[in-house]
Amino acid sequence: MAPRANWKGFLRLSLVTCPVALYPATSESEKISFNQLNRATGHRIKYLKVDADTGDEVPNEDIVKGYKVDTDTFVEVTKEELENVALESTRTIEIDEFVDRSDIDPRYLIRPYYLRPDGKVGHDAFAVIRDTIREMDKVAIGRLVLTNREHIIAMEPLDKGLMGTLLRYPYEVRDPKEYFDEIQDVKVTKDMLDLARHIVDQKSGSFEPDKFEDQYESALVELINQKRAGKPIAPKERPRGENVVDLMEALRRSVGGAAAEGKAAKKPAKKTKKAVAGQKEMLMPIAGKKAAKDTPAKKPATRAGRKTA
């Protein structure tokens, strides 16, 4: 079942309009997440919204938004006043222009979404808009209101639907000169470039996301499973960076290392069972023990009155 739509409205190209729904194209729900606990009791920490001066808890219905003018002065803005800021993009994505994909600076990209027709009507109009963008090999630029703010969205065909990517406004992108001006101008010799190019050639390949593993996520799963099993946790030695003295020698050694990696990659790898990503892997039984449905997991000894994770 598809997740709930983040936005529903209309997609319009001139006089052609169709109802559409916008869905998040990515998710981080599979990643390990932690709760904050009271070390003394093991109970979860609860956050309260309190008045900064009186310390009294404030119910949600009494909380309004405020714009800070100075230290002690705020301009209050109600929910109704915000809703009265009428923008057509609240309900309609109006396609303003078409641009080449290469014209969009990667720094302006925020996050991707999927667009599809909403309901059983409008599929013909959606197909016309989608296929026109595909035929022209362009990206459609429009605007929509999401999370109470207007965003620029770049739309391009993806399979039978559209992928819409939210874009930043120019004022949100920092000037690189603030960070790069102090980089020294260095003359790189031809020999160094030749060695570096050789390393790049040996490591060149095609981008295949499936071959990348989230090593930190895997390490978290291993840590939690070890603690569930009551095993001692030994700190691992951190890798140390090498102090490069001779850049040419480091490049030559790198060429040799890249060549060795290339030979190892050509050898047929042993087939391994693909692990379930993220938190679902936590459902697997601890190594060396029977599955939970056969033998209940033994809880580690804890102090009286303390809850365990």
Side-chain angles (χ1 to χ4, degrees), residues 54-165:
T54 66
D56 297 331
E57 185 177 356
V58 183
N60 287 332
E61 59 268 22
D62 290 339
I63 298 177
V64 297
K65 294 181 182 294
Y67 176 79
K68 185 175 181 179
V69 178
D70 54 46
T71 305
D72 299 314
T73 308
F74 294 84
V75 176
E76 292 186 7
V77 182
T78 67
K79 181 180 179 181
E80 292 73 20
E81 289 170 338
L82 289 174
E83 290 176 350
N84 287 333
V85 180
L87 291 172
E88 187 177 2
S89 52
T90 302
R91 292 289 297 154
T92 302
I93 301 176
E94 176 78 42
I95 297 178
D96 295 325
E97 61 178 347
F98 296 88
V99 302
D100 293 332
R101 182 67 179 81
S102 58
D103 288 345
I104 302 177
D105 188 323
R107 293 175 298 170
Y108 287 81
L109 305 178
I110 301 179
R111 70 180 67 88
Y113 288 87
Y114 294 144
L115 266 87
R116 73 177 190 190
D118 184 28
K120 297 181 179 180
V121 299
H123 286 249
D124 291 345
F126 182 87
V128 168
I129 296 173
R130 178 199 63 206
D131 292 350
T132 301
I133 300 172
R134 178 179 283 126
E135 178 69 22
M136 300 297 292
D137 193 23
K138 295 285 187 177
V139 175
I141 303 296
R143 289 163 288 115
L144 86 160
V145 172
L146 194 63
T147 61
N148 297 323
R149 297 299 297 265
E150 186 177 57
H151 298 271
I152 308 170
I153 185 168
M155 294 163 287
E156 53 190 313
L158 179 64
D159 196 15
K160 294 192 296 182
L162 290 172
M163 182 181 74
T165 305

Side-chain angles (χ1 to χ4, degrees), residues 260-277:
E261 289 179 7
K263 290 180 180 179
K266 291 179 180 179
K267 294 182 180 179
K270 295 181 179 179
K271 292 185 178 181
T272 57
K273 186 177 180 181
K274 189 175 180 180
V276 181

Side-chain angles (χ1 to χ4, degrees), residues 255-306:
V255 169
E261 289 179 7
K263 290 180 180 179
K266 291 179 180 179
K267 294 182 180 179
K270 295 181 179 179
K271 292 185 178 181
T272 57
K273 186 177 180 181
K274 189 175 180 180
V276 181
Q279 289 184 333
K280 290 183 179 179
E281 191 170 346
M282 295 297 298
L283 300 177
M284 298 173 63
I286 299 171
K289 293 190 176 185
K290 294 182 180 180
K293 63 180 181 180
D294 297 329
T295 305
K298 185 178 180 181
K299 295 183 179 180
T302 57
R303 288 182 289 176
R306 173 173 178 141

